Amino acid sequence: MHANELSLDEEVALYRDGFVIVRDAVPRDLTFNARRAINMHAAKEGVRRPYHDLSGTSTLPDLVNSSPLGEIMRNAMGPYDPPQSAFAAILYPQPKVKAPNFGWHPHVDGMWYSPDIPKTPDDVDSWVAPRTRHFGTGGATEMGANKTPFFQDQACTLALGSFTAFVGVALNDQTAFGRGNLCLLKGAHEEVERFFRMQRNTGGVVGPEGLGWPRLSPVGDNGVALTPMPRAIRDQFTDDAGIPVPTPILLDEGDAVIALHACPHGASINEGADPRMNVYFRLRRHRPGGATVLGDSDHPDRGWDGEFLEYGAGYDPWNAAIDAMCDHWSEWDFVTEEFLAGLRPSP
């Protein structure tokens, strides 16, 4: 079983790459209980992604709260709310497709999503800030199919939800690429942070609809898609064919991955024989005056259904979120002057 803190090599990997794999982070009895609970739910309720369906039990949160992973996160990140819920992500086997990297496409977490968007460029009124019927009010009260607000704040200055760490625990064997692996865009976290700073410094929207990040993009011969991440970032991490280069996360049962919010990620197609079973947590370092973070939401400054939360006088959750997005290491305790000095070459 892994120790209760990251090794120096693991800290360096997290700092350098934007993510780190932690082997044997969770005991097998906890992964067994979580896998059993998910399968029992699926047998009763059918095959779907049980976002909140298992929130009434501690089985999923126990993967963090009752394992070394909880202390690993506390020692690396600092104080945080122990998760009360989690996101069970099950990818069932799919037909084989001729697609690079098992169909992987990266995105930055926390953006509004809906399958109901304009279908052709002729239907688009604005690539940057579309306001056709597909986008409802086009404001902070409009919720996506993924339960994420169109804008986080009522003034519509922040179009992206955020948190500190995206943490995944494997419940079964994913040690070969092609088993529905999570993939990450290695090293892109610093470029994402720089991009957020650029957007903030222009005084406009941070996230989609801000400078350099149109809400929509043309795709293929005559298609339209939501823009999952800024093109300026994507282009820095592509191969000669212009395809983003993934790092597939190869996990066995009980292994975990810790990634920054700023590290673009996405799932890949499962061409194996068994469902891929991961449990994900979205954790945030404690912010004095901030909301209690339950552990599954990509918009923790709002309620799960988009309700606005009450905050004390003097606390601005939107500025606090933007400041953290523009200085992500400010929310990680292991990044000290001593740690950074050890990374610098000797004179």
Side-chain angles (χ1 to χ4, degrees):
M1 192 55 54
H2 197 283
N4 287 344
E5 59 183 5
L6 297 177
S7 68
L8 178 58
D9 286 345
E10 289 170 332
E11 290 177 343
V12 170
L14 178 57
Y15 185 84
R16 178 192 63 221
D17 300 334
F19 65 90
V20 64
I21 293 173
V22 184
R23 302 293 180 194
D24 296 318
V26 179
R28 292 291 178 97
D29 62 325
L30 297 181
T31 57
F32 172 88
N33 291 339
R35 190 168 65 251
R36 185 172 188 274
I38 292 168
N39 281 327
M40 288 178 64
H41 173 85
K44 181 180 178 181
E45 303 292 339
V47 175
R48 59 196 181 95
R49 284 159 56 157
Y51 277 91
H52 265 191
D53 299 329
L54 298 173
S55 60
T57 175
S58 67
T59 307
L60 269 57
D62 277 352
L63 296 169
V64 170
N65 298 333
S66 299
S67 81
L69 188 54
E71 282 302 303
I72 289 170
M73 292 306 303
R74 193 164 288 107
N75 287 322
M77 187 172 67
Y80 65 95
D81 295 318
Q84 300 176 37
S85 53
F87 164 19
I90 315 306
L91 289 182
Y92 289 85
Q94 296 176 257
K96 293 184 178 182
V97 297
K98 293 182 179 180
N101 304 316
F102 297 97
W104 176 72
H105 295 284
H107 66 275
V108 177
D109 228 358
M111 66 179 291
W112 178 93
Y113 168 78
S114 172
D116 181 24
I117 61 173
K119 299 300 185 251
T120 71
D122 290 341
D123 299 326
V124 175
D125 61 338
S126 167
W127 294 101
V128 174
R131 293 296 183 269
T132 56
R133 62 168 181 80
H134 313 82
F135 304 96
T137 63
T141 59
E142 188 65 31
M143 297 294 289
N146 59 344
K147 287 288 189 179
T148 301
F150 198 71
F151 282 97
Q152 297 292 310
D153 60 322
Q154 291 174 312
C156 297
T157 64
L158 178 59
L160 207 66
S162 66
F163 42 87
T164 307
F166 185 68
V167 179
V169 178
L171 302 187
N172 60 357
D173 181 1
Q174 302 152 39
T175 54
F177 195 17
R179 295 181 180 172
N181 309 74
L182 174 74
C183 298
L184 288 144
L185 203 57
K186 186 176 181 177
H189 58 301
E190 302 296 5
E191 294 302 323
V192 171
E193 180 190 70
R194 277 190 277 271
F195 187 88
F196 289 149
R197 289 178 179 176
M198 177 277 294
Q199 287 190 314
R200 179 185 63 182
N201 293 342
T202 66
V205 172
V206 174
E209 300 196 19
L211 183 63
W213 195 343
R215 183 80 69 172
L216 297 176
S217 297
V219 294
D221 294 333
N222 198 39
V224 177
L226 290 165
T227 311
M229 58 183 293
R231 188 81 197 192
I233 297 171
R234 175 190 169 98
D235 288 349
Q236 296 181 60
F237 296 90
T238 58
D239 59 19
D240 292 341
I243 298 172
V245 179
T247 297
I249 304 303
L250 308 181
L251 304 177
D252 204 349
E253 182 179 349
D255 293 344
V257 59
I258 302 169
L260 271 67
H261 166 264
C263 193
H265 67 269
S268 56
I269 291 170
N270 183 2
E271 293 187 356
D274 301 307
R276 182 216 71 175
M277 303 186 73
N278 284 346
V279 176
Y280 291 122
F281 300 86
R282 295 177 173 113
L283 306 180
R284 189 171 74 183
R285 193 186 196 283
H286 177 67
R287 297 175 185 173
T292 299
V293 177
L294 300 181
D296 55 354
S297 176
D298 65 356
H299 51 281
D301 294 307
R302 299 273 296 271
W304 178 257
D305 293 313
E307 57 269 32
F308 284 95
L309 306 177
E310 294 292 330
Y311 294 99
Y315 181 76
D316 184 334
W318 322 120
N319 282 336
I322 292 171
D323 286 346
M325 291 162 65
C326 292
D327 185 10
H328 49 223
W329 294 122
S330 66
E331 295 202 305
W332 292 88
D333 281 1
F334 82 90
V335 183
T336 63
E337 283 300 320
E338 181 181 7
F339 173 81
L340 294 173
L343 299 179
R344 300 182 189 115
S346 301

